[in-house]
Amino acid sequence: KCNIGCSERNIRLVIGSVLVTLAITHDIGAWGWLGLIPLVTGVMKVCPAYALLGEVLVVRTVKVAVVVTSLLI
């Protein structure tokens, strides 16, 4: 069952793609492979964390993660 919206899906795909690309080109460390997580959840349109933790908690966590990731790039 799809549990992420269109905008969030696009954000996940972009962030995941950027991180994985930077990891492949060795522009960032191995932690860039963590971009596979948002990339896969964006492609699948499902976030397992939403089901486990509840949408409100995860949305706040995702917003913080986006800010931190943008600061690191």
Side-chain angles (χ1 to χ4, degrees), residues 10-34:
N10 292 335
I11 291 169
R12 288 171 184 260
L13 292 172
V14 169
I15 289 175
S17 298
V18 168
L19 288 174
V20 169
T21 301
L22 291 173
I24 289 171
T25 60
H26 302 288
D27 289 330
I28 58 174
W31 66 269
W33 290 106
L34 291 174

Side-chain angles (χ1 to χ4, degrees), residues 1-65:
K1 181 180 176 184
C2 177
N3 67 355
I4 62 172
C6 186
S7 298
E8 183 178 350
R9 177 178 185 244
N10 292 335
I11 291 169
R12 288 171 184 260
L13 292 172
V14 169
I15 289 175
S17 298
V18 168
L19 288 174
V20 169
T21 301
L22 291 173
I24 289 171
T25 60
H26 302 288
D27 289 330
I28 58 174
W31 66 269
W33 290 106
L34 291 174
L36 287 171
I37 296 169
L39 189 60
V40 169
T41 57
V43 169
M44 301 293 290
K45 300 180 185 177
V46 174
C47 179
Y50 279 2
L52 295 174
L53 302 174
E55 189 170 338
V56 173
L57 176 62
V58 175
V59 168
R60 289 181 186 160
T61 304
V62 169
K63 287 180 182 178
V64 170

